[in-house]
Amino acid sequence: MQEKHCGSCGAPMTSDEMYGTETTGNKSIDYCVYCYDKGVFLQPDITLDEMIVFVSNVMVTQFGFSKEDADAQCKEGIPTLKRWKN
């Protein structure tokens, strides 16, 4: 089974606790708990560029990525996620 990732930030959703919720209280199939709760985005006004910077910084500070690798992965991957596709 393929690992599911958040359609907003790209975070791996590896357990039920990682899934955000819909207005019904059901788990979201698309978005993580850090991005989505009760059917709304927790940062509704964040731009794509701001999300790229935010996630890149998390990758560096919490997961030990180099700034260059984190930036490259975020710039390549985040624009392809559901929230950011036009």
Side-chain angles (χ1 to χ4, degrees), residues 48 52 68-81:
L48 172 59
I52 289 169
E68 295 76 21
D69 286 346
D71 285 349
Q73 286 186 38
C74 289
K75 287 176 184 174
E76 181 179 326
I78 292 176
T80 68
L81 300 174

Side-chain angles (χ1 to χ4, degrees), residues 23-53:
T23 55
T24 59
N26 293 334
K27 296 291 182 182
S28 170
I29 62 169
D30 295 315
Y31 302 110
C32 78
V33 68
Y34 302 114
C35 290
Y36 198 73
D37 186 43
K38 298 179 183 135
V40 296
F41 287 109
L42 298 175
Q43 296 176 300
D45 299 324
I46 194 170
T47 66
L48 172 59
D49 288 338
E50 290 168 339
M51 181 64 80
I52 289 169
V53 170

Side-chain angles (χ1 to χ4, degrees), residues 13-25:
M13 300 190 320
T14 55
S15 67
D16 283 348
E17 293 77 28
M18 284 296 297
Y19 287 77
T21 57
E22 298 295 346
T23 55
T24 59

